[in-house]
């Protein structure tokens, strides 16, 4: 099964910062990689799909890039509402594995 | 409006069984891949299983293969997860989730609110 590794596991940032989260797959999963945001007590919500396509309604300060095995989620001009946990997920193979998550904290 | 509502969670003893259901509405249930995902307390998301739109493709995570069974009740527009031989480490919130087709980019775009399963003696 495809394994997903995210880094860092925790990230400290301030409002207005740019943050970058990395996700690496154990094999190529292009282009089938999505990013999700989860807030405490809530279900995840999709931000980016197909590695770089912004989901409808998601602010443009979120962007995704990458191909093959390595992908990044970039949040520019970090807003108070963005402090949350972020997950990548591949949907290329027979599994739908998630990364272990990156908590973005103040 | 797309809605996914899980039910069936609760307290069960180690070694016991439990069946979760997810009532789907607001979309053509048989046209989408459906997934079960869980989240242990304070931990990350763990994908468990999916059933393809045609019901011909079913896949499981290694952690639940042979113990959990995913199925789709078309008459009731319901996704089901039968769980047996439950372990303490199966304690988690269990989410039902819909995945869009690859032609639409393919992400998991709708999630239920989750149902809590606690495995404890």
């Amino acid at each position: 099964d495809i394994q997903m590794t995210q880094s860092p596991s925790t990230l400290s940032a301030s409002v207005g910062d740019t943050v970058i989260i990395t996700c690496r797959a154990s094999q190529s999963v292009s282009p089938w990689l999505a990013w999700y945001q989860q807030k405490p007590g809530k279900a995840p919500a999709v931000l980016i799909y197909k590695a770089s396509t912004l989901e409808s309604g998601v602010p443009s300060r979120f962007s995704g890039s990458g191909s093959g095995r390595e992908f990044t989620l970039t949040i520019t001009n970090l807003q108070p509402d963005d402090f949350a946990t972020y997950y990548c997920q591949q949907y290329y193979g027979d599994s739908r594995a998630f990364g272990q998550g990156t908590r973005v904290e103040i | 409006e797309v809605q996914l509502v899980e039910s069936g969670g609760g307290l069960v003893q180690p070694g016991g069984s439990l069946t979760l259901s997810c009532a789907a509405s607001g979309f053509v249930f048989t046209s989408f891949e459906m997934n079960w995902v869980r989240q242990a307390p304070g931990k990350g998301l763990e994908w468990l299983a999916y059933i393809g739109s045609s019901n011909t493709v079913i896949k499981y995570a290694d952690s639940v293969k042979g113990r959990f069974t995913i199925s789709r009740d078309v008459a009731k527009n319901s996704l089901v997860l039968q769980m047996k031989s439950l372990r303490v480490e199966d304690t988690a919130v269990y989410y039902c989730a819909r995945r869009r087709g690859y032609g639409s980019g393919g992400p998991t775009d709708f999630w239920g609110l989750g149902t809590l399963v606690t495995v404890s003696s």
Side-chain angles (χ1 to χ4, degrees):
Chain A
D1 281 357
I2 300 172
Q3 309 298 320
M4 307 299 291
T5 304
Q6 270 181 252
S7 60
S9 55
T10 305
L11 192 159
S12 296
S14 301
V15 172
D17 283 356
T18 294
V19 301
I20 298 174
I21 300 169
T22 299
C23 180
R24 289 187 176 88
S26 57
Q27 65 181 73
S28 176
V29 298
S30 273
W32 309 116
L33 189 286
W35 290 95
Y36 303 86
Q37 178 192 67
Q38 187 181 34
K39 296 183 179 178
K42 302 290 187 181
V46 60
L47 301 171
I48 302 285
Y49 63 90
K50 216 173 165 183
S52 59
T53 304
L54 194 67
E55 177 75 346
S56 177
V58 174
S60 59
R61 61 180 181 273
F62 292 93
S63 63
S65 65
S67 63
R69 295 176 53 203
E70 187 156 335
F71 302 86
T72 59
L73 173 70
T74 301
I75 313 171
T76 57
N77 189 23
L78 198 68
Q79 295 298 296
D81 192 49
D82 302 336
F83 291 95
T85 301
Y86 295 85
Y87 296 91
C88 62
Q89 182 196 29
Q90 67 81 19
Y91 46 104
Y92 175 89
D94 287 344
S95 75
R96 302 284 183 256
F98 290 91
Q100 73 271 34
T102 296
R103 183 184 172 198
V104 176
E105 60 182 24
I106 300 173
Chain B
E1 178 192 7
V2 173
Q3 284 198 321
L4 298 170
V5 181
E6 302 92 340
S7 61
L11 177 64
V12 60
Q13 291 190 335
S17 300
L18 203 61
T19 296
L20 306 182
S21 296
C22 170
S25 61
F27 64 102
V28 181
F29 180 57
T30 51
S31 295
F32 290 84
E33 175 187 297
M34 297 299 297
N35 289 255
W36 286 100
V37 176
R38 72 183 177 187
Q39 188 167 36
K43 302 297 184 182
L45 301 171
E46 180 185 14
W47 170 78
L48 300 178
Y50 79 78
I51 182 167
S53 58
S54 62
N55 284 0
T56 57
V57 179
I58 291 177
K59 298 293 181 182
Y60 297 95
D62 287 345
S63 59
V64 303
K65 199 174 296 182
R67 298 191 301 125
F68 290 12
T69 302
I70 188 173
S71 62
R72 192 194 296 257
D73 186 335
V74 176
K76 295 182 179 179
N77 251 30
S78 180
L79 182 70
V80 177
L81 185 68
Q82 297 174 289
M83 306 183 294
K84 66 179 183 181
S85 303
L86 283 163
R87 306 165 180 166
V88 171
E89 55 266 34
D90 293 318
T91 294
V93 173
Y94 285 70
Y95 293 102
C96 160
R98 182 188 91 164
R99 196 179 73 80
R100 288 206 300 256
Y102 286 103
S104 301
T108 306
D109 63 348
F110 278 96
W111 302 67
L113 295 179
T115 187
L116 177 63
V117 172
T118 303
V119 184
S120 174
S121 55

